[in-house]
Amino acid sequence: VTKAIGEKASPSELLDIANGADHPAEAVYQVARWDSAGVVNELANLMPSVNAAAAGQTAASIGNLLAGINMDRAMAFAMGQGTDQLRGFAISRVMDELGSKPNGDAQVRSWYASLPSSIQNSDPVLAAYGDSIWASDPAAALLALQGIADPQTKMFACLALAKNSTSSSPETAIAAIYESGLSGVGIYNHVNQILQNWYAVNPQAASNFLSTTQIIPAVDMQKYAPILVPPGGGKG
């Protein structure tokens, strides 16, 4: 249905979707992704007509759509929004797309470094930046996510980092879980699984981590001790 609508939708019709949808980002993207590049560009020019409640999500969606058409145009659109809040929303989605390109990590870093601090420190940009650079620098990705103010945004971003880095950097994955704001049970379930997987492939590294880490609070250490005890207590 969205394909049939999107292939024929005019810029003004897409604007109506943005202003009338409960979730503008998803609605605009799912319809407009089937439309022509020209219509998406015209929709971008209609941003001043998007109502305030839908503006952030719509800017994010248009940034995402433009990034799939022309990255320079997408970046110009994002930077050209009228407020830091709107710029942050749009930049975050353009950054997501840019980070998936060849050498995208370096390009994201360069763009992020050029942004004013008010945008660098916005929640959507911090989340997108961390998600874009985790493969090359998981510690820097975690540092970025630590600056996110909104609890839900931070939780989802930290859980994504933990999932992505659990094999390549289990220390970062565990730190991300503790940073996520999950409850005690939620933390235990995630960290326990990460440690078990780590111990299965590199028991010495997992043991060394648990004996020296400052990531896991002392009060929690006893919970994970059984992971390091082989079946039968290590007796032959």
Side-chain angles (χ1 to χ4, degrees), residues 115-133:
L115 298 172
S117 60
S118 57
I119 298 177
Q120 285 183 336
N121 296 323
S122 71
D123 286 354
V125 171
L126 286 169
Y129 181 66
D131 190 54
S132 297
I133 68 168

Side-chain angles (χ1 to χ4, degrees), residues 177-178 182-196 220-227:
I177 293 300
Y178 271 96
L182 287 174
S183 67
V185 173
I187 289 174
Y188 172 78
N189 288 339
H190 282 278
V191 172
N192 186 58
Q193 188 62 59
I194 293 168
L195 284 170
Q196 285 186 0
D220 286 353
M221 288 299 296
Q222 190 173 1
K223 300 177 184 177
Y224 306 113
I227 295 171

Side-chain angles (χ1 to χ4, degrees), residues 3-4 9 14 35 40 42 53 65 73 89 95-96 99-100 123 126 131 164 182 192 198 212 217:
K3 183 175 185 291
L14 292 175
D35 221 325
V40 173
E42 289 183 47
L65 291 161
R73 168 68 172 119
F89 277 115
M95 201 173 274
D96 286 340
S100 68
D123 286 354
L126 286 169
D131 190 54
N164 289 334
L182 287 174
N192 186 58
W198 191 4
T212 61

Side-chain angles (χ1 to χ4, degrees), residues 138 142 145-146 154-155 157-163 165 169-182 187 191 194 215:
L142 178 61
L145 301 190
Q146 288 172 340
K154 187 175 189 177
M155 180 182 70
C158 285
L159 291 178
L161 175 59
K163 180 180 179 181
S165 62
S169 181
E171 305 98 321
T172 301
I174 291 169
I177 293 300
Y178 271 96
E179 189 68 33
S180 69
L182 287 174
I187 289 174
V191 172
I194 293 168
I215 295 172

